[in-house]
Amino acid sequence: MLKKLALSAAMAAAFVPAMADEGQWQPHQLPQLKAELKRIGITIPAERLADLSKHPMSAIVSLDGCSASFVSPEGLVVTNHHCAYGAIQRNSTAEKNYIANGFLAKTRAEELPGGPTTRVYVTDKLENVTARVNNGLEKLSGKARHEEAKKRIKALVAECESDKIYRCSVPAFHRGAEYYRIRQMMIKDVRLVYAPAESIGNYGGDIDNYEWPRHTGDYAFLRAYVGKDGRPADPSPDNVPYKSKDFLVVSAEGLKNGDPILLAGYPGRTSRYKLPAEIRFARDVNYPAMVADYQADLDAIAAATKGNDNHVVRYASVVKSINNRMKKTQGLLDGFARKDLAAIKDAQDAEFRAWYGKQADASRQLLPELDAAIAADMAQTNEDFFYGMATNSDLLKSARTLYRLALEKQKPDAERETGYQERDIANIKARLSRLEQSLVPAVDQARYVSGLQRYAKASGKARSLDPLLPAVADVPAMYQQTKLADTASRLAWMDKSPAEFQQSDDPFIKLAVRMHDVAMALEDQRKEVDGTLEKIIPQYMGAVIAWKKSQGKPVYPDANSTLRVTYGTVSAYSPKDGVTKGPFTTVEGIVEKHTGKDPFDAPKALLEAVKAKRYGQFKDPVLGTVPVNFLSSADTTGGNSGSAIVNKRGELIGLNFDSTYESITKDWYFDRDITRAIHLDARYMLWVMKEVDHADNLLQEMKIKYPKQK
């Protein structure tokens, strides 16, 4: 029974009707949601939404960690300000601070390089390859199973990447019950076009992060460039804007409370199907340790950059990223404290196990084996965490990557570890090059010393790493003697042999070589754990899917950074008794929050425009002013940042950028009453572009649908 469930129940899941607005749906599932989409008022045919080659899905792109969309036929891409933050930071200096002052290219020639790791990915093909990955693996377990599955996945990827303009992947869905091969065109020449000042794009800063009401203009524009033949090419002055097949019309018509929306993007990770033990581990062990580690790292960076504006700029993107992860993790802990999700999962798990026990031919070994595999995974996660703490240095990470690359290059390409094949060389070089704009040796040293000190005090860690690590007193000399801080020297190591690494006197190279065996042992342990999970979890998920299907409950895969569509309505919510928060904020709220000091220091031009009520066509007829942000009931998570919010006709009316603080636990459990996503209203974006930043060239380039004049 379970063999059939593991492979077929997930396929049948698409036919189960949704409940409320829950679900991060694969596009091909949408035709089975016709009734739901019609119920909320979406008029785009579901069959069209399922077709990646047709509008609007063909305009939705990934930025590898964020989402975005084409908004002109000239490769113009709109995303969040915080998604373009790395590109903004890499082009900034203390003297030419685009973070603080914003940036606008009035001509194509003025557009700035997005950086060596900035990519635009256009998904154009998806196929179910479950059988090609899983068939015949039943007799294998542990590391052997994991390695065989990876071997098959690498072959599927190589087959797909015969044309080098494509980047292919084979992610797991339903925790390994299904695998899909996804083909994406990878555009490598991406340039920064326009970003508002941080006092608009990040108004409210970390204080307002995950909070509502919100007044943040979280948007920025990039442009994708290709070779003159229309194919992706390495960055070059000779490249031309990508002719996007489809793009989204930007609507200034706006929305009102209760209106339907669709959201399309690349959500990162959710854990909706995890077990009660996994919640308790996250709540009681893993997340508290992560929050403490994030804070200690931030403290080390703050102390090391204090008083040096250039260093502050160089680490601005790193600090922003850590702060965001920390607040989200703390929000999860607060959410666990507010609502006992473990107890909710206990009840669900007990109900499932009772149902499962009544099924004919159900395996009596599955659930005990599952519990043991989960326990091993949690123990391994602890070891991995401590290893990361003890190696928190960009120079050490670079040295480890370079030595591993040298070793892997001794093997045939198909036998190399994923991440070190020929297809990965350009990305490795890009990551190593990126440090040119984001590394200060003194700051890296402070972070490494702090990590070593935290590791020394940590309890419950494996001791195999201890004798290999440098003493804190020896770390300054390592930074004085290494040449890895120099980009040219760092990149030169990409072509060296293992013997040259083993004979090197560079202290970080020597440390990487010394740590390699322990690192590999840890990696092998992880593969053993993962291989066991990959055998047991799909069987478990097949049973869970069948159980949920029998109840008529929604069945969709956890988010895994692949293209998904969610839906919902513009909705207020009540975070606690007696408090209701409306679905819109307005520019008047910016003025109310304005203090003249960061992070509530709105630009003078914006304040003057509000005072003069220069709202023009962007004035909402009900609110009587320009909306800034709005709430919807759509199901989102990290990675959905920058996702296009479209109205019932498929026109862009906003960008997703955050969730309310009360919603953070939706990664584990969707609570329809309080789960709300926070979106930028397109009218505010267009208004700032016109009245504050005078981005007339972009307003003319985009196709904008204005409200009819009455």
Side-chain angles (χ1 to χ4, degrees), residues 383-577:
E383 284 205 50
D384 295 340
F385 174 77
F386 290 129
Y387 187 87
M389 182 186 292
T391 56
N392 188 34
S393 156
D394 283 327
L395 290 189
L396 178 55
K397 290 172 186 174
S398 297
R400 289 170 51 215
T401 296
L402 288 162
Y403 183 48
R404 181 67 179 275
L405 176 63
L407 293 170
E408 294 293 337
K409 285 169 74 172
Q410 306 304 302
K411 307 174 187 176
D413 191 55
E415 296 177 17
R416 295 187 198 176
E417 185 66 26
T418 300
Y420 293 92
Q421 294 179 278
E422 286 303 313
R423 68 192 290 270
D424 304 306
I425 298 297
N427 285 345
I428 292 173
K429 183 177 181 180
R431 292 200 306 271
L432 294 170
S433 299
R434 184 177 59 184
L435 293 179
E436 178 83 30
Q437 291 86 27
S438 59
L439 173 76
V440 176
V443 180
D444 196 58
Q445 176 180 317
R447 297 179 75 189
Y448 189 32
V449 165
S450 175
L452 288 171
Q453 291 171 332
R454 299 195 301 275
Y455 176 82
K457 297 175 183 177
S459 59
K461 63 180 184 290
R463 296 291 173 179
S464 57
L465 193 60
D466 292 22
L468 306 177
L469 296 173
V472 167
D474 295 334
V475 171
M478 293 176 64
Y479 279 87
Q480 291 169 7
Q481 295 166 17
T482 187
K483 294 181 180 179
L484 286 183
D486 175 70
T487 301
S489 299
R490 193 165 56 246
L491 294 178
W493 280 98
M494 290 187 68
D495 298 316
K496 295 188 184 295
S497 67
E500 289 175 289
F501 277 84
Q502 292 155 9
Q503 295 162 10
S504 173
D505 290 329
D506 187 288
F508 281 100
I509 297 293
K510 290 173 67 176
L511 180 57
V513 172
R514 192 164 69 240
M515 292 175 60
H516 181 72
D517 288 346
V518 169
M520 290 303 297
L522 195 66
E523 186 176 302
D524 286 344
Q525 287 173 214
R526 169 49 69 189
K527 288 179 178 179
E528 184 70 27
V529 169
D530 286 349
T532 302
L533 289 171
E534 288 159 9
K535 182 175 184 177
I536 296 171
I537 292 288
Q539 299 175 50
Y540 166 71
M541 282 304 303
V544 167
I545 289 167
W547 171 59
K548 285 183 172 287
K549 182 175 180 289
S550 72
Q551 299 173 313
K553 290 185 176 179
V555 184
Y556 52 87
D558 264 322
N560 62 353
S561 298
T562 61
L563 182 58
R564 303 294 180 91
V565 178
T566 67
Y567 60 87
T569 55
V570 178
S571 306
Y573 79 113
S574 178
K576 56 186 177 182
D577 184 50

Side-chain angles (χ1 to χ4, degrees), residues 97-120:
N97 194 335
Y98 298 131
I99 297 174
N101 304 321
F103 171 77
L104 172 63
K106 285 287 191 178
T107 66
R108 304 276 167 84
E110 294 174 358
E111 295 173 359
L112 298 174
T117 58
T118 304
R119 303 279 191 269
V120 167

